[in-house]
Amino acid sequence: MSTERTFIAIKPDGVQRGLVGPILSRFENRGYKLVAIKLMTPGKAHLEKHYADLAGKPFFPGLIEYMNSGPICAMVWEGRDAVKTGRVLLGATNPLASAPGTIRGDFAIDVGRNVCHGSDSVENAEKEIALWFKPEDLVSYKSAAFDWVYEKA
Ligand code: UDP
Ligand code: MG
């Protein structure tokens, strides 16, 4: 069984709007396993590193200000195809283009207040997990639901 991991974050608007529970539930309900979680305000330098690929974009300063405006709930979720399916659960970057049933399609309107982040590739997931968590923050355990979620390991 692939132990693919993805970095998912509930942005400050999601935390302030009381959406930590509902967003967590989408991943739990789907069958993914939570392996790390912490609430943090990591500061501008860390956020600029996280979004380094977007540094040249006109929305970059506003994005960093938004991400730095309150606590972020940082998480690592594990399971089959976790990166790609995590993005499907989040919905499109612009919430107005997100299908109902996705997190952004159910909880957001503006692209600059789109409540959640998810890694876009396995390679970036590994980088983001290493940026946001220490190796010992990632908890190793067998989910009691494993054999009910997966037909074959
Ligand atoms: N963003 C924005 N305006 C844009 C595009 C993106 O404010 O026109 C913000 C938005 O919060 C988005 C984040 O920048 O989630 C990162 O952009 P990316 O293209 O990586 O989208 P994501 O991977 O989050 O769907
Ligand atoms: Mg992205």
Side-chain angles (χ1 to χ4, degrees):
M1 135 91 196
S2 112
T3 52
E4 195 169 296
R5 286 172 168 177
T6 189
F7 174 70
I8 301 292
I10 304 172
K11 296 176 176 180
D13 50 340
V15 173
Q16 294 289 7
R17 292 174 56 199
L19 297 175
V20 171
I23 293 172
L24 275 178
S25 294
R26 300 293 174 105
F27 285 84
E28 284 187 327
N29 292 345
R30 188 64 187 260
Y32 287 111
K33 185 176 85 171
L34 182 64
V35 301
I37 183 166
K38 63 180 164 182
L39 197 65
M40 54 197 293
T41 47
K44 269 186 94 167
H46 177 103
L47 295 165
E48 283 167 0
K49 218 184 260 181
H50 172 76
Y51 279 128
D53 291 353
L54 302 172
K57 304 277 185 194
F59 59 82
F60 186 74
L63 171 61
I64 298 302
E65 197 183 329
Y66 160 47
M67 292 295 289
N68 200 33
S69 66
I72 293 170
C73 181
M75 300 175 280
V76 178
W77 289 89
E78 182 183 287
R80 189 165 291 155
D81 213 16
V83 172
K84 197 175 99 214
T85 309
R87 298 275 294 184
V88 174
L89 290 173
L90 261 48
T93 302
N94 182 348
L96 291 181
S98 300
T102 65
I103 292 164
R104 288 163 173 166
D106 287 347
F107 299 126
I109 295 173
D110 273 2
V111 68
R113 296 289 184 272
N114 62 358
V115 305
C116 51
H117 165 83
S119 307
D120 62 6
S121 67
V122 173
E123 191 192 347
N124 283 337
E126 282 167 7
K127 278 192 215 157
E128 291 172 0
I129 291 166
L131 175 65
W132 288 79
F133 289 97
K134 294 187 240 99
E136 61 267 31
D137 292 336
L138 307 178
V139 180
S140 174
Y141 66 103
K142 184 179 176 184
S143 163
F146 185 91
D147 296 325
W148 298 106
V149 172
Y150 297 101
E151 183 182 4
K152 292 192 184 103

